[in-house]
Amino acid sequence: MMTGFRLNLAPVKEPLGFIKVVEWFTAVFAFGSCGGYAGRNVVSVFCGGGVNETLNATFSYPFRLNQMLLVEGNTTICNHTVAETHLVGDSSSSAEFFVAVATLAFLYCMAALLVYVGYMHVYRDSDFGPMFDFVVTSILTFLWLVCASAWARGLQTVKDATDTAGILSTLALCKENDVTCEVTDFASFRSLNVSVVFGYLNLVVWAGNAWFVYKETRWHSQKLSSQGVGRGTVPAPI
């Protein structure tokens, strides 16, 4: 059997290869819309009878909010001395997991496409290639389900921690009788919302791809063979 590289773009025109191209793009959009994010909410502090102040609640990937400073130590605001205050919450585990799965999927798509366009004759002449492809595709489908769900919950945690209610519960100054705090300028969460959408879109695409990869395995061919034997024609009586 010849095992050398043979360029053949035909598999890309088939569902098996075309879906891998789609997966490559959706993985790029998934980790690109999450991994490069940085945002800022502006908190207006209204002082009763004094000069109003503004604070910046800045946050970015990987969203370790408890390490992001809201107020520097011993700062005087509205005639009150405020201790060093950080945002509350940590969504880094779900965000990093999401980006890691997207990156892994991106790399696997590149490797699979290389095999499809250059070594498809080896891929289809062996049992190992399609079976390995199916197992990895199934694992990544499950990982997309887990990471997209975890990141959707993590994103909600970020939104809750940086909105007005979250700031009120975090900053002790806002509980004073003569002080009112409100988030007056919100960061755009559009790209993060898009990342969640692409997470679930990847789940759907990879689940569909698992079927086409399964059709390349001997498990599918054996099933068809057994069905063919079971439905064989009965000899006519003599």
Side-chain angles (χ1 to χ4, degrees), residues 32-238:
S33 56
C34 176
Y37 181 85
R40 183 188 67 174
N41 282 3
V42 176
V43 182
S44 296
V45 182
F46 302 101
C47 309
V51 179
N52 297 333
E53 304 279 353
T54 58
L55 302 174
N56 293 321
T58 304
F59 48 96
S60 60
Y61 176 84
F63 307 104
R64 292 188 178 91
L65 301 182
N66 53 11
Q67 297 181 10
M68 297 181 179
L69 196 63
L70 178 61
V71 180
E72 295 183 358
N74 299 320
T75 301
T76 300
I77 304 175
C78 296
N79 297 321
H80 295 276
T81 300
V82 182
E84 182 176 295
T85 306
H86 294 80
L87 296 173
V88 175
D90 185 354
S91 297
S92 61
S93 58
S94 59
E96 290 175 336
F97 180 43
F98 181 82
V99 171
V101 172
T103 304
L104 182 62
F106 167 79
L107 294 175
Y108 183 72
C109 286
M110 292 182 64
L113 284 171
L114 176 62
V115 172
Y116 291 169
V117 301
Y119 298 94
M120 183 56 79
H121 55 289
V122 179
Y123 179 90
R124 283 180 169 156
D125 286 344
S126 66
D127 291 335
F128 175 77
M131 292 171 65
F132 177 82
D133 195 11
F134 175 71
V135 170
V136 175
T137 301
S138 300
I139 291 174
L140 283 170
T141 301
F142 175 73
L143 289 177
W144 275 119
L145 171 62
V146 176
C147 76
S149 300
W151 172 228
R153 182 68 187 91
L155 176 57
Q156 188 59 51
T157 299
V158 173
K159 292 179 178 180
D160 292 341
T162 56
D163 66 7
T164 297
I167 297 299
L168 288 175
S169 63
T170 301
L171 191 58
L173 172 69
C174 298
K175 300 176 183 178
E176 300 290 340
N177 293 330
D178 58 341
V179 177
T180 302
C181 301
E182 182 181 355
V183 177
T184 54
D185 189 6
F186 287 87
S188 174
F189 286 99
R190 185 177 305 165
S191 66
L192 296 182
N193 292 333
V194 167
S195 70
V196 174
V197 172
F198 271 102
Y200 285 110
L201 178 61
N202 271 286
L203 168 63
V204 174
V205 174
W206 281 84
N209 185 215
W211 165 248
F212 292 103
V213 177
Y214 171 71
K215 291 175 66 177
E216 299 291 331
T217 65
R218 62 182 175 87
W219 299 319
H220 182 260
S221 59
Q222 288 175 349
K223 182 179 179 181
L224 291 179
S225 298
S226 62
Q227 290 177 346
V229 172
R231 297 175 184 175
T233 57
V234 178
I238 298 174

Side-chain angles (χ1 to χ4, degrees), residues 5-9 117-118:
F5 181 85
R6 299 180 189 173
L7 181 61
N8 180 13
L9 298 179
V117 301

